[in-house]
């Protein structure tokens, strides 16, 4: 069993062993950046959105989930021609492929100091 899962290549896994393919990998997503390093969230490609109670935000007709535990938070969203990135302060939440084209409504959500804490 050990040999099968760690040594033997599998054709279905592009000749990788299951332990190579399914092992935990270090990830850098959802890791807050050093607070001393400020990310500039201003510019033509940034908008703000308030996360709804059901965890949804909408950008340019595209709907995505930001997590129910973040309901009512105001987040910054970077919209490029091919991706949408969601940031909560300096914390990167997610990136998705942009499936819609055209202009993004430049809505700026109201920030509430007690909700940003």
């Amino acid at each position: 069993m050990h040999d099968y899962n760690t040594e033997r290549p599998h054709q279905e896994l592009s000749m990788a062993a299951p332990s190579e393919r399914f092992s935990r990998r270090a990830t850098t997503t959802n890791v807050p950046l050093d607070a001393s390093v400020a990310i500039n969230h201003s510019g033509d490609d940034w908008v703000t959105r308030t996360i709804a109670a059901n965890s949804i935000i909408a950008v340019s007709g595209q709907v995505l989930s930001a997590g129910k535990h973040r309901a009512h938070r105001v987040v910054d969203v970077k919209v490029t021609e091919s991706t949408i990135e969601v940031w909560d302060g300096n914390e990167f939440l997610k990136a998705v492929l942009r499936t819609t084209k055209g202009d993004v409504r430049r809505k700026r959500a109201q920030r509430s100091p007690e909700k940003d804490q």
Side-chain angles (χ1 to χ4, degrees), residues 5 10-25:
N5 287 324
H10 292 254
Q11 190 172 12
E12 293 262 339
L13 302 176
S14 300
M15 301 313 288
S19 63
E20 293 173 39
R21 186 62 109 97
F22 299 109
S23 65
R24 286 195 129 167
R25 295 182 186 118

Side-chain angles (χ1 to χ4, degrees), residues 22-112:
F22 299 109
S23 65
R24 286 195 129 167
R25 295 182 186 118
T27 179
T28 58
T29 58
N30 295 335
V31 176
L33 298 176
D34 183 348
S36 65
V37 178
I39 296 174
N40 183 3
H41 291 192
S42 62
D44 292 339
D45 52 353
W46 288 92
V47 295
T48 59
R49 296 291 187 264
T50 301
I51 300 172
N54 63 355
S55 78
I56 300 297
I57 61 173
V59 180
S60 185
Q62 188 168 338
V63 178
L64 52 136
S65 174
K68 282 193 174 188
H69 62 289
R70 288 191 164 79
H72 309 291
R73 300 233 351 130
V74 175
V75 293
D76 296 312
V77 182
K78 183 176 183 178
V79 183
T80 68
E81 200 169 303
S82 59
T83 62
I84 297 174
E85 295 178 9
V86 182
W87 292 78
D88 187 358
N90 277 351
E91 185 179 3
F92 174 72
L93 302 182
K94 75 183 319 177
V96 296
L97 290 176
R98 186 171 176 195
T99 60
T100 58
K101 299 295 176 201
D103 293 334
V104 177
R105 193 174 86 218
R106 299 292 175 195
K107 179 181 176 187
R108 294 285 177 190
Q110 295 297 319
R111 294 196 181 275
S112 173

